[in-house]
């Protein structure tokens, strides 16, 4: 039976974030605009790590909000993590990779690590004393991650790792790395295991930073493992379960890439709206022309559709983390990442178009947003791979 009145409307919480989530958004947006946005252009131009953003996020406990309270973290749910990443990405995509990759790198520890490993690695992460990266891809193992060649050979109470990991976000800055390596070459994906490697482990080194189209402030480098000898108890889970851990991790963290795409798109839409309201041609604001209004309407529509899909996926991620079942997370994680990143590419491209020649220059932020948006269609699984994943997991 339907209820009526303001109280009933206030109680109907379906399809909207809670008041706590809205408050979190307001606080992260204010912080991002004050402490991160002023450096976004400089970070991109100089292709330097956004240390100001790291300092601001860590000072406000927003760098790794997903870490459970038991290990000193905020214990934030998946939607809260999405909102943090979205709001940071709205002003600086490079900076949003600090909370996003901290989750990507450490989630395997949360999912499969021993209690000892969780205390050892999650506590420093939560305290802002360390960052975490994720090492899956290799020069000849991208979309086909199961074809990796990095090896981990048992030697008494240790494993010795040898190989090269490529496209590693925040490599060289992060202190800890979740590394996938082959422990039994005959079993293909079931012969892959996961380990925690530390930056200071003997034999760990890094390649030169990649020269990229976008997200220039987040270093992307190769990680070299040359006879890296680590204690056997740094394995996450049982031997041979690493690939399963890697795929489950991506089910959850692809939603954070969708969040990043949302933020980039929102930033571009916000800027384009303001520009067309002020820019005058033919004696009136450009925004008064119907063709421009239709472009803005389509941009906003795609963005909101992407946001709803992403938030629904985040809710499924959280319910599974709490022990729920039957949430179609693999499908929804892939769908959110794919749709939101495609939408972000379209929206940022249209934002550049709305600014005309000015949009094509580095004097305005939309060209940076357009460049940054492109990677969201590629990393954590290309959108072509996401469509394969969705097709295999149709609800």
């Amino acid at each position: 039976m339907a209820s009526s009145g303001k109280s009933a409307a206030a109680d109907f919480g379906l399809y909207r974030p809670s008041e706590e989530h809205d408050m979190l958004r307001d606080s992260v947006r204010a912080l991002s605009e004050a402490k991160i946005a002023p450096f976004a252009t400089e970070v991109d131009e100089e292709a330097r790590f956004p240390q100001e953003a790291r300092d601001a996020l860590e000072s406000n406990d927003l760098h790794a909000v997903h870490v459970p309270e038991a290990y000193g973290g905020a214990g934030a749910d998946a939607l809260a993590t999405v909102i943090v990443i979205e709001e940071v990405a709205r002003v600086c995509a490079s900076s949003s990779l600090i909370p996003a990759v901290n989750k990507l790198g450490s989630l395997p520890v949360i999912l499969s690590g021993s209690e000892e490993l969780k205390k050892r690695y999650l506590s420093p992460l939560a305290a802002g004393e360390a960052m975490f990266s994720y090492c899956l891809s290799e020069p000849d193992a991208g979309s086909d991650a199961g074809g990796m060649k990095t090896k981990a050979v048992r030697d008494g109470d240790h494993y010795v790792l040898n190989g090269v990991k490529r496209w590693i976000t925040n490599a060289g800055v992060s202190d800890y790395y979740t590394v996938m390596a082959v422990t039994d070459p005959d079993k293909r994906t079931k012969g892959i295991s996961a380990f925690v490697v530390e930056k200071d482990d003997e034999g760990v080194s890094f390649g030169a930073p990649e020269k990229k189209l976008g997200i220039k402030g987040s270093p992307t480098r190769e990680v070299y493992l040359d006879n890296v000898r680590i204690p056997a108890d740094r394995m996450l889970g049982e031997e041979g379960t690493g690939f399963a851990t890697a795929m489950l991790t991506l089910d959850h963290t692809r939603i954070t890439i969708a969040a990043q795409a949302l933020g980039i798109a929102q930033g571009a839409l916000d800027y384009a709206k303001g520009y067309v309201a002020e820019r005058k041609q033919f004696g009136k604001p450009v925004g008064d022309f119907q063709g421009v209004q239709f472009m803005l309407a389509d941009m906003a529509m795609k963005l909101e559709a992407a946001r709803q899909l992403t938030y629904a996926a985040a809710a499924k991620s959280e319910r599974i983390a709490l022990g729920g079942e039957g949430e179609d997370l693999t499908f929804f994680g892939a769908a959110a990442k794919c749709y939101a990143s495609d939408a972000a590419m379209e929206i940022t491209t249209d934002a550049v178009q709305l600014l005309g020649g000015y949009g094509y220059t580095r004097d305005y932020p939309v060209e940076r947003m357009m460049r940054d948006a492109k990677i969201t269609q590629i990393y954590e699984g290309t959108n072509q791979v996401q469509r394969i994943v969705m097709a295999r997991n149709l609800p």
Side-chain angles (χ1 to χ4, degrees):
M1 182 174 181
S3 299
S4 61
K6 292 185 178 179
S7 61
D11 290 341
F12 194 75
L14 293 177
Y15 300 107
R16 77 175 182 196
S18 68
E19 182 179 356
E20 289 79 8
H21 288 107
D22 289 338
M23 291 171 62
L24 174 65
R25 182 189 303 282
D26 290 343
S27 64
V28 179
R29 178 168 295 193
L31 177 73
S32 297
E33 290 180 346
K35 301 293 187 180
I36 299 175
F39 303 97
T41 298
E42 179 184 318
V43 163
D44 178 71
E45 290 281 348
E46 298 179 4
R48 68 167 179 83
F49 183 76
Q51 187 61 43
E52 298 88 355
R54 180 180 181 180
D55 292 343
L57 292 168
E58 290 179 348
S59 296
N60 290 272
D61 294 326
L62 294 168
H63 61 291
V65 296
H66 68 285
V67 176
E69 293 179 355
Y71 309 104
D77 60 53
L79 179 56
T81 304
V82 159
I83 290 171
V84 170
I85 295 166
E86 178 184 355
E87 288 301 324
V88 175
R90 179 174 166 268
V91 301
C92 181
S94 293
S95 298
S96 72
L97 283 163
I98 294 171
V101 177
N102 275 340
K103 180 169 183 177
L104 174 64
S106 65
L107 192 58
V109 178
I110 295 173
L111 292 173
S112 302
S114 65
E115 189 62 27
E116 181 181 349
L117 288 180
K118 290 177 183 178
K119 291 177 180 177
R120 179 173 178 179
Y121 292 111
L122 297 179
S123 296
L125 174 62
E129 298 168 357
M131 287 174 53
F132 232 119
S133 288
Y134 182 82
C135 299
L136 178 64
S137 296
E138 298 184 2
D140 295 317
S143 294
D144 179 20
M148 68 179 64
K149 297 177 181 177
T150 295
K151 292 184 178 180
V153 177
R154 184 77 184 238
D155 183 17
D157 292 334
H158 292 76
Y159 279 91
V160 179
L161 279 63
N162 282 280
V164 178
K165 293 297 181 177
R166 179 169 284 179
W167 311 123
I168 308 308
T169 305
N170 292 340
V173 177
S174 291
D175 303 271
Y176 306 142
Y177 299 81
T178 293
V179 176
M180 308 299 166
V182 177
T183 46
D184 189 338
D186 296 329
K187 294 183 178 179
R188 193 167 161 75
T189 58
K190 292 185 178 180
I192 293 172
S193 302
F195 303 86
V196 177
V197 172
E198 300 180 10
K199 178 181 179 179
D200 294 333
D201 285 334
E202 186 175 352
V204 175
S205 60
F206 305 94
E210 301 288 350
K211 298 177 181 179
K212 300 173 296 187
L213 175 70
I215 57 166
K216 293 183 177 182
S218 177
T220 304
R221 305 167 73 177
E222 288 188 326
V223 176
Y224 303 125
L225 305 165
D226 184 14
N227 288 321
V228 178
R229 186 179 180 84
I230 63 173
D233 62 9
R234 282 212 227 149
M235 177 182 283
L236 300 176
E238 299 296 323
E239 187 170 294
T241 62
F243 192 78
T245 295
M247 294 302 103
L248 180 57
T249 295
L250 293 176
D251 283 347
H252 288 278
T253 60
R254 279 171 179 151
I255 301 164
T256 67
I257 302 305
Q260 184 185 42
L262 292 179
I264 296 169
Q266 186 68 64
L269 176 58
D270 290 346
Y271 197 91
K273 279 195 306 182
Y275 179 87
V276 300
E278 296 180 2
R279 171 72 169 170
K280 290 186 177 179
Q281 291 289 275
F282 305 102
K284 60 181 179 179
V286 173
D288 286 354
F289 293 99
Q290 191 178 61
V292 170
Q293 292 172 355
F294 282 4
M295 287 181 69
L296 289 169
D298 283 342
M299 293 160 74
M301 176 177 62
K302 293 170 186 175
L303 177 56
E304 192 54 39
R307 179 172 286 117
Q308 294 299 324
L309 179 56
T310 301
Y311 287 13
K316 289 177 179 290
S317 171
E318 185 63 23
R319 286 194 290 268
I320 284 185
L322 294 172
E325 298 178 354
E327 292 290 349
D328 300 323
L329 180 61
T330 301
F331 174 87
F332 272 83
K337 188 269 187 192
C338 185
Y339 187 84
S341 58
D342 281 350
M345 197 68 240
E346 293 173 9
I347 291 164
T348 55
T349 301
D350 282 348
V352 169
Q353 186 72 22
L354 286 170
L355 266 68
Y358 294 112
Y360 203 68
T361 71
R362 295 207 301 269
D363 295 326
Y364 293 80
V366 291
E367 66 85 30
R368 165 171 53 86
M369 294 169 177
M370 179 180 172
R371 289 185 285 106
D372 289 341
K374 185 60 198 175
I375 191 60
T376 64
Q377 294 181 302
I378 298 172
Y379 58 12
E380 290 207 29
T382 67
N383 283 4
Q384 288 69 36
V385 167
Q386 301 314 304
R387 288 173 167 87
I388 294 172
V389 171
M390 284 186 276
R392 291 175 177 173
N393 293 275
L394 292 174

